[in-house]
């Protein structure tokens, strides 16, 4: 049965990615969206869009009945779950099929068998896949678990049976820590998954994470599309992924991919899946250095690197398999060309413990054209979009492809230097520092490496901010001039050297700067300057973007003299509004409070008067210049 109209039960980057393939195949598309995503990019790119609920995911993107109703309303005949949300929910898969729709994913039975980690490892063992020593029994009492832990030996990991996303995992280094860590893991497992069962597993102390992309069809066929290395992680969340895995001998690749395909066939898998392995990174890859970790029964975030090295569209494969077709290629016909690397672009602040950010994107994109043959950009947001605080912080993916790994690394570093994300916190500088590190370039990094490196990766060099400020000073100097000689601002002084000073502000700090007193290290990457408004600039240096503001004293004087409007001085969030229409105010009275640049800002009445209207709302994300309170005109 051919798919005519596809509903994507997801949002952001993955929804946009799926819509792109649908356009190529002539398949009509339907988006679903919450209150927070009413103007989102994935809504704009779909043929139709249906509102499914409030911002919280539990009331929208996780609401099965709302998604099925949207499919019925629009006449969609298939549903693609993307990744995250309901993508590995067997009950949702069954509900889609029961509603007479095509489910673009594996059978519910395969999702269920690979869901619980203990059951998945039992099946893997039966299929001849190597599995780490551990305890996966039904008995969950403290005595049984303690005895099992002693038999396995320390250090070991406690893992929630129903876990995922790095939750429900605890490291136990010695026997004295076991009791407390067990109790903690069980509490988190019950809270996160509604299932407090745990398993124990021998710890690989210098682990790499290598996974195999597999595909099955309804005719019993199964293939792999080679492997990916996802060892660069923070808090068990992937940061940079690549394909193929560096340092992979051909005999190990054959053994690992054969094991993955055997498991795929054992569970009668259909569609895209990923078989993940934990690898001993303390020594070169060998036949006895990898063990089954888990199987993800969905399309992975990092699937583009596999597409780049094989030349295949995995979403197209998914749609064809879901329609009942045979796999597009036999195993021997799947090519492997070059090396691809993906970096996840997130609205988060690495220097603040990767705190996620939200707000208006003032500038987003690559500042220099990139060759489409070697650079791919999968984004769920554009300049002018708002990043909501309700969902995952990843907003785009940068993928590069070259003939070999070294060239791909250099391409990634270069491209990240020309990527600008302003208005929300960004991890682009952090990604560039990771990709530029000796550990990554020499592929000696492992899953715990980012935590071990610490501030060297998460904190931007002071020189980057300094270079950004100097770049704005240069821009202001070059812009200076006028229609008469009296308008020229070249710093000329009679019988003395010229002086070029600018008042600039980064965050809450403002000062007069003379560029000649603050030379920039010639080794510092060249800053990229973008005008956001006449007095505000986004400046990117080595991947780190800062907002630099030049105070305008004439405007400040006008504000003191009065006016009719109270406006947002910068992008931010409205925290409170303390007046209503008809209220009398005195000059200097606080009428609203907003949050911007990690600080609270009190907005005051510019003069004595009466409030005519309140046009802002608490919780709004506002742009610079948005009017929040209006006074009766004088």
């Amino acid at each position: 049965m051919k798919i005519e109209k596809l509903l994507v039960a997801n949002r952001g980057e993955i929804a946009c990615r799926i819509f792109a393939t649908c356009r190529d195949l002539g398949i009509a598309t339907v988006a679903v969206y919450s209150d927070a995503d009413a103007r989102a990019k994935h809504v704009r790119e779909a043929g139709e869009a249906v509102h499914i609920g409030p911002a919280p995911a539990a009331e929208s993107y996780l609401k099965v009945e709302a998604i099925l109703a949207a499919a019925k309303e629009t006449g969609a005949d298939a549903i693609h779950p993307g990744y995250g949300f309901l993508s590995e929910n067997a009950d949702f898969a069954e509900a889609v099929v029961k509603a007479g729709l095509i489910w673009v994913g594996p059978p519910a039975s395969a999702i269920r068998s690979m869901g619980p980690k203990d059951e998945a490892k039992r099946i893997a063992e039966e299929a001849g896949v190597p599995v780490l020593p551990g305890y996966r029994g039904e008995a969950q009492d403290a005595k049984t678990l303690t005895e099992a832990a002693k038999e396995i030996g320390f250090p070991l990991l406690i893992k929630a049976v129903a876990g995922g996303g790095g939750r429900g995992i605890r490291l136990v280094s010695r026997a004295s820590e076991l009791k407390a860590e067990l109790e903690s893991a069980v509490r988190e497992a019950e809270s996160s998954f509604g299932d407090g069962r745990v398993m124990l597993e021998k710890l690989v102390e210098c682990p790499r994470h290598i996974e195999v992309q597999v595909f099955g069809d309804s005719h019993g066929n199964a293939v792999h599309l080679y492997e990916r290395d996802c060892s660069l992680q923070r808090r068990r969340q992937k940061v940079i992924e690549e394909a193929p895995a560096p340092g992979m001998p051909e005999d190990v690749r054959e053994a690992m991919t054969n094991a993955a395909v055997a498991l795929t066939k054992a569970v009668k898998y259909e569609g895209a899946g990923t078989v993940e392995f934990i690898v001993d990174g303390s020594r070169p890859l060998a036949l006895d250095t990898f063990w089954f970790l888990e199987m993800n029964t969905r399309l992975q975030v990092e699937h583009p690197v596999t597409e780049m090295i094989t030349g295949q569209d995995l979403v197209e494969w998914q749609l064809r398999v879901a329609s009942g077709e045979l796999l597009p290629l036999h195993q021997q016909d799947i090519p492997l060309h070059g090396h691809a690397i993906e970096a996840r672009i997130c609205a988060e602040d690495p220097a603040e413990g990767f705190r996620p950010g939200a707000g208006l994107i003032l500038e987003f994109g690559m500042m220099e054209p990139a060759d489409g043959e070697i650079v791919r950009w999968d984004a769920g947001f554009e300049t002018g979009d708002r990043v909501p605080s309700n969902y995952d912080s990843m907003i785009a993916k940068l993928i590069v492809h070259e003939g070999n790994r070294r060239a791909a690394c250099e391409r990634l570093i270069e491209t990240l230097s020309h990527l600008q994300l302003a208005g929300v916190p960004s991890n682009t500088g952090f990604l560039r520092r990771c990709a530029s590190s000796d550990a990554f370039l020499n592929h000696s990094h492992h899953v715990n490496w980012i935590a071990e490196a610490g501030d060297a990766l998460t904190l931007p060099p002071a020189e980057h901010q300094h270079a950004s400020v100097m770049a704005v000073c240069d821009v202001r100097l070059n812009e200076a001039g006028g229609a008469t000689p009296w308008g020229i601002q070249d710093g000329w002084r009679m019988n003395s050297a010229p002086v070029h000073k600018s008042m600039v502000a980064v965050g809450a700090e403002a000062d007069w700067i003379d560029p000649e007193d603050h030379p920039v290290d010639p080794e510092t990457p060249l800053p990229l300057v973008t005008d956001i408004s006449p007095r505000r600039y986004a400046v990117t240096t080595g991947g780190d973007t800062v907002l630099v503001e030049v105070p305008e004293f004439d405007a400040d004087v006008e504000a003191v003299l009065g006016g009719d409007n109270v406006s947002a001085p910068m992008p931010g969030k409205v925290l409170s509004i303390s007046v209503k229409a008809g209220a009398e105010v005195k000059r200097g009275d606080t009428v609203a409070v907003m949050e911007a640049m990690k600080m609270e800002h009190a907005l005051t009445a510019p003069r004595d008067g009466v409030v005519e209207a309140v046009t802002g709302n608490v919780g709004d994300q506002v742009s610079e210049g948005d009017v929040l309170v209006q006074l009766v005109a004088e």
Side-chain angles (χ1 to χ4, degrees):
M1 177 181 175
K2 186 176 184 300
I3 296 173
E4 301 289 342
K5 181 182 284 192
L6 179 73
L7 182 148
V8 177
N10 217 296
R11 61 181 296 279
E13 174 272 326
I14 186 58
C16 295
R17 159 72 190 91
I18 296 167
F19 292 154
T21 291
C22 287
R23 285 192 294 272
D24 291 342
L25 298 178
I27 297 173
T29 55
V30 179
V32 292
Y33 65 91
S34 69
D35 289 347
D37 283 335
R39 297 178 179 84
K41 185 173 185 278
H42 79 277
V43 173
R44 300 194 299 269
E45 293 196 350
E48 300 173 70
V50 180
H51 176 252
I52 55 171
E59 301 175 46
S60 51
Y61 295 107
L62 293 173
K63 201 169 181 180
V64 173
E65 59 271 25
I67 293 171
L68 293 178
K72 183 177 181 181
E73 175 187 336
T74 57
D77 53 9
I79 290 181
H80 193 307
Y83 50 69
F85 292 135
L86 294 167
S87 62
E88 294 182 280
N89 186 308
D91 292 340
F92 179 51
E94 285 183 339
V96 170
V97 174
K98 186 176 180 181
L101 304 171
I102 297 173
W103 166 250
V104 184
S109 58
I111 297 175
R112 286 199 175 95
S113 63
M114 290 292 102
K117 295 185 186 301
D118 56 345
E119 174 67 5
K121 293 196 174 183
R122 184 191 64 77
I123 296 172
E125 279 186 303
E126 291 180 354
V129 180
V131 175
L132 271 173
Y135 174 77
R136 294 178 289 277
E138 289 296 321
Q140 294 286 303
D141 60 280
K143 181 181 178 182
T144 300
L145 292 171
T146 300
E147 291 177 353
K150 290 178 180 177
E151 184 175 340
I152 295 166
F154 298 93
L156 59 77
L157 288 177
I158 303 169
K159 290 186 175 183
V161 168
R167 289 171 294 174
I169 298 178
R170 296 293 185 276
L171 167 62
V172 185
S173 298
R174 55 187 64 88
S176 60
E177 300 172 358
L178 183 63
K179 182 176 184 294
E181 295 295 352
L182 266 174
E183 292 172 352
S184 176
V186 169
R187 279 195 303 271
E188 184 174 18
E190 288 175 342
S191 173
S192 300
F193 313 111
D195 184 347
R197 292 177 301 141
V198 297
M199 52 186 272
L200 307 179
E201 194 168 80
K202 181 66 178 174
L203 176 70
V204 178
E205 295 192 69
C206 190
R208 288 178 63 182
H209 177 123
I210 298 179
E211 60 190 34
V212 176
Q213 176 70 61
V214 294
F215 245 96
D217 63 23
S218 58
H219 306 276
N221 302 304
V223 298
H224 70 81
L225 290 91
Y226 306 103
E227 79 284 349
R228 301 183 286 256
D229 190 310
C230 307
S231 300
L232 198 71
Q233 301 183 14
R234 62 164 186 84
R235 299 171 187 166
R236 302 186 178 89
Q237 299 292 317
K238 298 167 187 173
V239 173
I240 293 178
E241 306 101 336
E242 57 185 311
M248 175 65 77
E250 197 54 47
D251 62 333
V252 179
R253 171 175 290 136
E254 183 178 2
M256 189 179 287
T257 54
N258 285 347
V261 171
L263 180 59
T264 304
K265 291 181 176 179
V267 294
K268 297 181 172 56
Y269 198 85
E270 298 175 25
T274 301
V275 180
E276 302 191 347
F277 296 92
I278 189 168
V279 177
D280 183 354
S282 66
R283 53 197 178 106
L285 285 165
L287 294 175
D288 61 347
T289 62
F290 68 91
W291 303 272
F292 173 74
L293 183 64
E294 64 182 355
M295 184 176 191
N296 284 310
T297 53
R298 55 173 167 81
L299 192 68
Q300 292 278 79
V301 175
E302 58 272 19
H303 75 273
V305 293
T306 296
E307 294 183 320
M308 297 294 269
I309 64 167
T310 62
Q312 304 303 305
D313 183 331
L314 298 192
V315 173
E316 180 178 346
W317 277 46
Q318 284 187 296
L319 298 175
R320 293 193 182 283
V321 167
S323 300
E325 296 182 22
L326 291 163
L327 290 173
L329 293 175
H330 296 292
Q331 186 66 68
Q332 64 270 22
D333 298 324
I334 300 174
L336 194 166
H337 299 302
H339 200 94
I341 310 178
E342 172 184 289
R344 300 188 184 192
I345 311 300
C346 298
E348 62 186 16
D349 188 347
E352 295 288 336
F354 295 94
R355 178 181 57 82
L360 179 69
I361 296 178
L362 302 175
E363 187 69 35
F364 191 24
M366 284 174 276
M367 296 299 102
E368 289 189 2
D371 185 341
E373 294 291 320
I374 53 179
V375 177
R376 170 173 162 180
W377 181 243
D378 285 14
F381 293 82
E382 297 174 329
T383 299
D385 286 342
R386 292 188 182 276
V387 178
S389 60
N390 311 85
Y391 314 113
D392 184 82
S393 64
M394 194 190 78
I395 57 178
K397 299 181 304 198
L398 172 65
I399 308 100
V400 299
H401 183 228
E402 288 280 5
N404 58 69
R405 185 176 189 270
R406 188 71 189 201
C409 289
E410 292 172 355
R411 177 67 61 184
L412 178 65
I413 294 166
E414 177 191 10
T415 309
L416 285 169
S417 297
H418 295 91
L419 179 63
Q420 195 167 61
L421 174 54
V424 294
S426 165
N427 70 334
T428 50
F430 162 75
L431 292 170
R432 186 179 183 276
R433 286 186 284 281
C434 288
S436 304
S437 68
D438 289 341
F440 185 77
L441 293 174
N442 299 330
H443 60 83
S444 61
H445 63 286
H446 50 83
V447 169
N448 303 319
W449 174 74
I450 287 177
E452 294 173 0
D455 292 350
L457 297 175
T458 57
L459 296 181
E463 183 62 25
H464 284 189
Q465 180 165 302
H466 171 66
S468 298
V469 171
M470 293 304 103
V472 170
C473 291
D474 288 343
V475 169
R476 298 295 290 185
L477 180 62
N478 292 332
E479 290 176 346
T484 70
W486 314 113
I488 298 174
Q489 302 173 33
D490 59 2
W492 179 86
R493 294 190 298 171
M494 183 179 291
N495 299 324
S496 189
V499 174
H500 307 291
K501 285 190 177 182
S502 297
M503 171 67 82
V504 296
V506 179
E509 302 294 327
D511 200 0
W512 286 99
I513 301 293
D514 184 345
E516 291 189 5
D517 294 339
H518 302 276
V520 175
D521 187 335
E523 297 297 317
T524 301
L526 184 68
L528 305 168
V529 183
T530 302
D531 294 1
I532 298 299
S533 70
R535 296 185 295 115
R536 299 176 73 234
Y537 302 84
V539 191
T540 298
T541 308
D544 294 306
T545 298
V546 297
L547 287 175
V548 181
E549 185 166 359
V550 179
E552 187 173 6
F553 299 110
D554 290 344
D556 295 339
V557 171
E558 288 180 12
V560 171
L561 294 176
D564 296 334
N565 296 331
V566 178
S567 304
M570 62 192 76
K573 180 179 180 180
V574 179
L575 298 181
S576 66
I577 297 178
S578 53
V579 296
K580 295 181 179 180
E584 293 186 1
V585 294
K586 297 290 186 180
R587 190 178 69 154
D589 287 352
T590 296
V591 298
V593 177
M594 63 179 291
E595 181 184 51
M597 297 183 179
K598 306 179 190 175
M599 300 177 63
E600 290 189 5
H601 303 265
L603 308 186
T604 60
R607 59 173 173 81
D608 296 353
V610 177
V611 176
E612 180 175 53
V614 175
T615 54
N617 297 294
V618 174
D620 282 356
Q621 292 287 342
V622 294
S623 302
E624 178 181 0
D626 285 357
V627 176
L628 305 181
V629 176
Q630 294 176 316
L631 302 184
V632 175
E634 289 190 336

